[in-house]
Amino acid sequence: MKALCCLLLALASAVVHADQAQEVLARVRTQVLLVAALNARGLVESEGSGVLVAAGRVVTNCHVVAEAQAVRLTTADGRQLAARVLREDVGRDLCLLEVADVPAPALPMRALADVRQGEAAYAVGNPLGLGVAVSAGLVSAIDRRSSEPRILTSAAVSPGSSGGGLFDGSGRLLGITSSVLELGQNVSVAIPAEAIARLEREGRTPSPPAPVTAEPDWLQIAEALRLRADWAGLLAHAERWQQYYPTSADAVAAAGLAEGNLDRWPAARERLRRGVAAAPWHAPSSGYLARTHLALNDPAAAEAEARRATRLNPAAGYYWGLLGEALRVLGRNDEAASAFATALRFSPGEASVWEGWGDLAATAGRGDDAAARYRVAARLAPESDGLRRKLAQALALRGEGAAAGRELAAIKDRGKSDDARVWNSVGAGEEKAGRYREAEQAFRKALAIDPAQPEAWYNLGLILRRSGRDAEAAQAFERALELQPQMTVSMIMLAELRQRAGRLSEAAEWAARACAQADAQAAACRVLAGIANERRDWTQAERAYARVVALDGRNADDWVALAQARLALGKAQEALLALNRALELNPQHGVAYQALAAAHGRRGEYAQALEYAERATQLEPTDHQAWSNKGYSLLKLQRPAEAVPAFETALRLKPDFSNAWINLGEAKLAQRQAGEAIVALRKALELSPGASDARLYLASAYVSTGQFALAREQLTPLAEKAPQLVQAWVLLTVANAGLGDRDAATASYTRLKSLNPAAAKELRTRLAALPASRAVTLPE
C-alpha cells in the first residue's frame, strides 16, 4: 500500500509546467515602452520603461522622469512620441504620462489581495537599452512592513527596466517594477498595480520644469566650461546661475565640481552636502560629492554617495566608476572590479574608468587583464602619454617587449583596422569586458567585410542570445553551420534556443547531433540530458549523462545527475556507484547526499537514508528537498514528531512544495493530529490537484474525525482514478457506513471484497463490533 502511495506521489511530482515567458512577452510587448527623459537641449539624460495602461496613459517611475525638460516615448514598433507628466506620486514613485495618438484597450490588472506568494511572475522592460525583454521568476513575498506594500520578486530587473511591468502568466499586470532590493539576493521590487488607479485620482499635478532661457543657456555654457576645464569660469558662472535659480540642483553641482578642481575640496564638500540634502534625487550632486570624498581620503563616505548616485541613475557609468575607485581604495577588489565592469557597460567611452580597472588588475598581478584594459583606455584617449606608458609597462611585464615598444612609438596613433578577423577579435574582447552593444557592432563590421566568416556569425549569435533576441540568434547560428557544418558549439546554442522556446523535439535533435560529433563536448550532452529530464525520458537522460562523464568525468554534478536518472529507472545499485564517484570528486556535495538518501529510502533502508539526509541538510541548509528527504526518512522510521519540524523547514524554504505538504499531513495523522493534517493535505491538493496520495490521506483524516461526507467527496473520484487501490475502498466503505448509506456501503464493500477478501473480512468484523448504535452489518 505504502509503495503504491509513493509511486503516485512520484507521478504527481513529475508534471512539468511549460515556461510561459515568451507567451507573456508576446501578449504585452506592445504595451511596454521605452521612456527617455530629455534635458533642455533635447539630449537623453536617463532612460527607463513605461507601461501603457489605457489609451493615451502610460505609467512609469517618477525617478525616471525627474527633472526632465521633456519626455519621449518609443513604442514597440519604433515610433517616437512626445509625452508629458500628467500626475505624480513621488512617495510611491509612480508617475502618469499623457501621450496622444496611442489607442489601447484597458490593461487587465490584478488586485494585490489576489497575488499569491510563490506564483510565477514575469518582468517586461527595456534592460540596458537593448530592447523589450522578459525575465521570469516568482512572487517572493508581499512586503507590508511600511504603509505602502511592495511586491518582492525573483524576476530579474536590470537598469533601464525601471517603470516596466510585472505580469502574471496570463499577461495581467501585477505591478510596476521599481528597483532592486538593497542587500537582497536577486530580489526586485514592484509597486502594486492597484496604486495606478489612485494615481490619476489622488496624484498631484507636477510643477512645470524650470524654464531654460535662450540667453544665457546656463546648462550649455556650464558644459562648455567643463569641457575646457575652465574651473574658475565655471564657478563664477554657477554662482550667477544660482542667483537666478536658487534651487537649481544643476547649478549647485556645477559649483561643487568647480571648487573641487580648484583644490578647494573642503568648501566643495560642504556645498555639495547642502545640495544633496536639498535635492536627494539629483544624481550629479551625489556623484560629485563621492568624488570629493575620495579627494579628501574618505573612501567610506565616497562609497555611500557613489552608491546613492548609481541608484538614482543606474545607467550612468561615471557613478559606477566612482564606486569602483572607492572600493579599490578600501581594498575590496572583487567588488571594485564588478563596479568598474558595470561602469564600462554603460559608459564604454570613459578612459579614466578603463585606466582604473587596469590599475586594479595590475595591482593584483593580472598582466593580461591590465594590458587589455590599458589598451582600450589608450584607444579612447590617444593623447594621454600616461596611458600609453602604462600599457607599454604592462606589455613589458608580460615579456612582450616588441609590442611595448610599438605602443610607445605609437602614442598618437589609434591603430584602426578594417580586417574582418581583427574586428571579430575586437568584438570578442568587448564581449568579455561586458560591452555587449559595442561587441555586436564589431561583429557586424566583421561580417560586412567578410560574410563567410563562421566564427563571427557564431559570436554575433551569442550577443543576440544574451539580449533575448532568440529568433535572430538562431539565424546567426544556422548561418555559421551553413559555412562550417561541423561547428559543434553552434549546434549546442541552437539546441538551447529551441529548448528555451519549448520546441523540445528540435532541441533534442540538435543536442543529439552535437553530442554525437567526433569533437563532442560534454556541454552538448548536458543539454541533451537536460531536455531528456524535462521530458521525463529517463532512459535517454541516463545515456546522455553517461556520455557526459565519459567525455569529462571530473564534474561531481554530472555524476549526481547520472545517479538521479538511474534512480528514476529503478537502478538503485548503479545509482549508488555513481553517487560514490561524485563524493570522491567532492566530499561536500550536498545534492549527492540527498540522492543517496533517496536511493536508500527506495530500498527501504530508512536508517541509512536518514544518515545521508542529515548530512545533506548540514551541507545544503537552504535546500528544501534535503529537509523533505530527512522528514520522509524519519516518518518511515515511525518518528513523526521529529519528521514534522523537517517538513516545516522544507515548507519555509519553498512554500509551494506540495510533496512536503503531503508528507506533513501524513506525519500529523501519525501523531493523531487530524485537524492539522487536514489543513496540510488541503494545501497539498490546492498545489497539486492530481496528487492521489494527498487525497487518500485527507479522506483518512476526515474519517478519523467523523466527517464522512467530506471523506466520501475525496474518495469517490480517487476510487474512479485508481480502482485497484484497496485502501480507498476500505475508507469509502467506512464513510458510506458512517453516513448510514447501507446501499453505498454494501456496494463499496463488495468492490473491496473482490480486490482483497482478507481486508474486506477484517473491515466487516470491525464494523460489526461497533456499539449497537453505530454497528453496521455487511453481507458475507
Side-chain angles (χ1 to χ4, degrees), residues 113-415:
D114 295 334
V115 179
R116 301 189 313 278
Q117 185 179 24
E119 74 171 281
Y122 305 90
V124 181
N126 180 49
L128 312 181
L130 295 173
V132 176
V134 62
S135 63
L138 299 175
V139 174
S140 304
I142 307 298
D143 181 9
R144 302 182 186 276
R145 291 174 296 177
S146 62
S147 59
E148 295 298 331
R150 305 181 299 174
I151 299 173
L152 306 184
T153 176
S154 60
V157 175
S158 302
S161 295
S162 294
L166 185 69
F167 298 88
D168 67 10
S170 299
R172 295 174 294 178
L173 186 66
L174 300 177
I176 301 298
T177 56
S178 174
S179 61
V180 176
L181 191 65
E182 290 184 34
L183 305 179
Q185 296 294 318
N186 192 30
V187 178
S188 305
V189 179
I191 304 158
E194 62 190 27
I196 295 172
R198 300 198 300 270
L199 177 60
E200 187 159 9
R201 186 175 64 250
E202 302 172 6
R204 72 178 182 87
T205 302
S207 303
V212 179
T213 59
E215 198 57 53
D217 186 332
W218 299 102
L219 197 60
Q220 185 174 8
I221 294 171
E223 182 65 8
L225 291 166
R226 185 188 71 82
L227 292 173
R228 291 202 306 268
D230 183 354
W231 307 117
L234 177 60
L235 180 58
H237 171 74
E239 289 179 338
R240 285 196 303 273
W241 190 356
Q242 286 183 280
Q243 291 174 4
Y244 285 93
Y245 297 94
T247 62
S248 171
D250 284 330
V252 174
L257 174 67
E259 282 193 309
N261 282 288
L262 290 169
D263 277 336
R264 294 159 55 177
W265 294 108
R269 179 175 58 189
E270 293 310 309
R271 186 190 294 268
L272 289 168
R273 278 177 173 169
R274 291 194 300 271
V276 168
W281 45 263
H282 193 247
S285 295
S286 288
Y288 293 153
L289 181 55
R291 176 176 177 268
T292 303
H293 284 313
L294 280 171
L296 291 171
N297 198 27
D298 190 350
E303 179 193 358
E305 286 304 323
R307 288 195 185 279
R308 185 208 297 264
T310 60
R311 288 195 298 271
L312 292 169
N313 188 354
Y318 175 71
Y319 306 138
W320 287 101
L322 289 170
L323 176 59
E325 187 62 21
L327 293 167
R328 186 183 74 81
V329 175
L330 288 167
R332 290 152 58 186
N333 291 350
D334 289 344
E335 295 176 72
S338 177
F340 282 133
T342 302
L344 294 170
R345 189 159 64 243
F346 293 123
S347 298
E350 287 282 350
S352 62
V353 178
W354 282 102
E355 183 177 4
W357 203 21
D359 291 344
L360 189 66
T363 301
R366 300 196 309 273
D368 289 351
D369 290 341
R373 294 162 191 174
Y374 290 146
R375 182 176 285 111
V376 176
R379 189 184 307 140
L380 291 168
E383 74 289 347
S384 172
D385 291 346
L387 276 172
R388 288 291 183 182
R389 290 190 179 95
K390 283 186 177 182
L391 174 56
Q393 184 179 15
L395 292 169
L397 289 173
R398 291 195 307 170
E400 298 184 24
R406 287 195 298 270
E407 288 296 330
L408 290 171
I411 285 177
K412 303 300 181 184
D413 184 10
R414 294 176 182 264

Side-chain angles (χ1 to χ4, degrees), residues 455-466:
E455 293 82 5
W457 282 110
Y458 171 74
N459 288 334
L460 176 61
L462 291 178
I463 291 293
L464 294 168
R465 171 178 168 273
R466 181 187 289 275

Side-chain angles (χ1 to χ4, degrees), residues 618-647:
Q618 292 168 5
L619 292 170
E620 301 287 347
T622 61
D623 188 328
H624 64 278
Q625 187 65 61
W627 286 101
S628 183
N629 285 349
K630 177 181 176 180
Y632 186 77
S633 298
L634 289 165
L635 185 59
K636 295 308 173 186
L637 289 168
Q638 299 184 0
R639 294 157 63 182
E642 298 172 72
V644 166
F647 292 134

Side-chain angles (χ1 to χ4, degrees), residues 19 28 78 82-83 164 201 214 222 295 338 510 629 645 717 722 751 773 779:
D19 185 4
V28 306
R201 186 175 64 250
S338 177
W510 279 114
N629 285 349
R751 177 61 175 164
S773 61

Side-chain angles (χ1 to χ4, degrees), residues 657-732:
F657 188 19
S658 60
N659 285 3
W661 284 110
I662 295 170
N663 290 331
L664 178 61
E666 184 183 359
K668 291 292 185 181
L669 276 176
Q671 291 182 292
R672 301 184 183 279
Q673 297 174 0
E676 294 182 42
I678 288 170
V679 172
L681 293 165
R682 289 180 64 176
K683 179 64 175 179
L685 283 174
E686 178 186 329
L687 294 167
S688 297
S692 297
D693 49 352
R695 200 172 294 279
L696 182 66
Y697 292 138
L698 181 58
S700 180
Y702 282 142
V703 166
S704 71
T705 55
Q707 300 180 71
F708 300 117
L710 291 174
R712 185 161 68 177
E713 182 181 321
Q714 297 297 326
L715 291 164
T716 300
L718 178 59
E720 293 175 358
K721 180 179 178 182
Q724 304 303 313
L725 188 56
V726 171
Q727 189 62 24
W729 292 104
V730 171
L731 291 171
L732 186 56

Side-chain angles (χ1 to χ4, degrees), residues 405-663:
R406 287 195 298 270
E407 288 296 330
L408 290 171
I411 285 177
K412 303 300 181 184
D413 184 10
R414 294 176 182 264
K416 295 180 179 178
S417 172
D418 290 330
D419 181 82
R421 271 179 282 186
V422 173
W423 278 114
N424 186 51
S425 297
V426 168
E430 303 287 50
E431 192 272 340
K432 186 177 180 181
R435 299 174 57 199
Y436 305 122
R437 207 178 278 177
E438 289 72 18
E440 179 179 346
Q441 293 170 356
F443 294 136
R444 291 193 184 280
K445 287 180 180 179
L447 291 168
I449 298 168
D450 180 10
Q453 190 180 165
E455 293 82 5
W457 282 110
Y458 171 74
N459 288 334
L460 176 61
L462 291 178
I463 291 293
L464 294 168
R465 171 178 168 273
R466 181 187 289 275
S467 61
R469 290 172 283 173
D470 287 3
E472 295 177 69
Q475 291 175 357
F477 293 132
E478 287 167 356
R479 180 62 177 142
L481 281 168
E482 289 175 10
L483 296 166
Q484 189 174 325
Q486 304 305 315
M487 184 181 269
T488 306
V489 287
S490 286
M491 297 177 196
I492 297 172
M493 290 298 103
L494 280 170
E496 289 183 356
L497 288 173
R498 297 292 188 258
Q499 182 183 23
R500 194 152 71 183
R503 295 157 62 178
L504 297 185
S505 295
E506 294 177 50
E509 289 176 9
W510 279 114
R513 183 175 163 188
C515 189
Q517 291 293 308
D519 64 340
Q521 302 173 16
C525 302
R526 285 192 191 99
V527 173
L528 179 60
I531 294 168
N533 278 341
E534 192 171 345
R535 301 167 83 179
R536 295 298 188 263
D537 184 347
W538 304 118
T539 300
Q540 186 178 55
E542 181 191 19
R543 284 199 299 263
Y545 278 123
R547 176 78 166 134
V548 170
V549 298
L551 290 168
D552 181 7
R554 298 169 297 175
N555 190 329
D557 290 345
D558 294 330
W559 287 99
V560 172
L562 174 59
Q564 290 171 329
R566 287 176 173 171
L567 281 174
L569 291 170
K571 299 179 179 180
Q573 186 58 40
E574 294 175 66
L576 289 173
L577 294 174
L579 290 169
N580 288 333
R581 177 58 180 150
L583 288 173
E584 288 175 9
L585 293 167
N586 181 3
Q588 306 301 314
H589 200 293
V591 180
Y593 284 105
Q594 184 187 119
L596 278 169
H600 285 283
R602 292 190 183 192
R603 298 172 63 171
E605 300 166 353
Y606 298 118
Q608 187 69 41
L610 177 59
E611 180 181 337
Y612 287 124
E614 289 275 16
R615 183 65 172 145
T617 58
Q618 292 168 5
L619 292 170
E620 301 287 347
T622 61
D623 188 328
H624 64 278
Q625 187 65 61
W627 286 101
S628 183
N629 285 349
K630 177 181 176 180
Y632 186 77
S633 298
L634 289 165
L635 185 59
K636 295 308 173 186
L637 289 168
Q638 299 184 0
R639 294 157 63 182
E642 298 172 72
V644 166
F647 292 134
E648 289 174 340
T649 300
L651 290 168
R652 280 196 297 273
L653 294 168
K654 186 174 175 58
D656 61 347
F657 188 19
S658 60
N659 285 3
W661 284 110
I662 295 170
N663 290 331

